[in-house]
């Protein structure tokens, strides 16, 4: 049986803590009192760190467990949806820059290509694909910044709704 993720993380942290405590006290014991003092100090520090870690294990795993959630298959699609939103937003910023002539044609074309490639990805949820297509169409017209902003708002809301539904 494989222990839960939090127990494995705690075990690795305990291993590092005990090793560091033992080695640190081993070096200190060698400097202060010779070999016998080094062994006694290393043993005491290692044992103390191990006992302290074992006593705190239940509280630590109870505290950390709720924070760790497994990523479902939908998490992948949500990540892609977020990437699509970001790429289309940067493309919109290139088409409607704050400063006239602030973006070169090459940069605008590169952002457009990336936005289209990400929007066509198969793992992207269908509602996000449709909303992304509408946003890209509004941005490609390049004439009405308000219409592009409204389409982007629709894309933001669609991606957010997809996240809430899963």
């Amino acid at each position: 049986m494989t222990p839960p993720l939090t127990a494995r993380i705690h075990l690795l942290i305990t291993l590092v803590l005990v090793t560091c405590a033992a080695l640190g006290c081993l070096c200190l014991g060698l400097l202060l009192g010779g070999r016998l003092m080094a062994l006694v100090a290393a043993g005491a520090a290692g044992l103390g760190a191990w006992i302290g870690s074992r006593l705190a294990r239940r509280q630590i795993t109870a505290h950390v467990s709720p924070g760790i959630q497994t990523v479902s298959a939908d998490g992948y699609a949500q990540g892609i949806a977020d990437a699509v939103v970001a790429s289309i937003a940067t493309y919109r910023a290139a088409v409607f820059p704050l400063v006239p002539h602030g973006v070169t044609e090459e940069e605008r074309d590169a952002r457009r290509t990336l936005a289209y490639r990400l929007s066509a990805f198969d793992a992207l949820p269908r509602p996000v694909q449709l909303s992304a297509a509408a946003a890209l169409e509004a941005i490609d017209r390049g004439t009405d910044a308000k219409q592009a902003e409204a389409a982007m708002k629709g894309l933001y809301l669609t991606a957010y709704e997809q996240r809430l539904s899963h």
Side-chain angles (χ1 to χ4, degrees), residues 30-99:
L30 279 173
L31 288 174
L32 295 179
R35 290 182 186 172
L36 182 61
M37 178 61 93
L39 290 175
V40 169
L47 183 64
W50 181 77
I51 290 172
S53 180
R54 292 298 292 175
L55 291 174
R57 181 179 182 166
R58 182 173 295 158
Q59 289 84 11
I60 290 173
T61 55
H63 178 71
V64 175
S65 291
I68 295 178
Q69 299 173 352
T70 58
V71 177
S72 65
D74 296 327
Y76 183 70
Q78 291 169 1
I80 294 170
D82 289 342
V84 167
V85 168
S87 68
I88 293 175
T90 59
Y91 173 50
R92 185 181 70 74
V95 172
F96 302 105
L98 294 175
V99 178

Side-chain angles (χ1 to χ4, degrees), residues 95-96 133-144 147-149 151-152:
V95 172
F96 302 105
L136 287 169
E137 182 182 1
I139 294 168
D140 280 343
R141 285 190 203 120
T143 55
D144 189 10
Q147 186 180 12
E149 181 64 33
M152 283 302 299

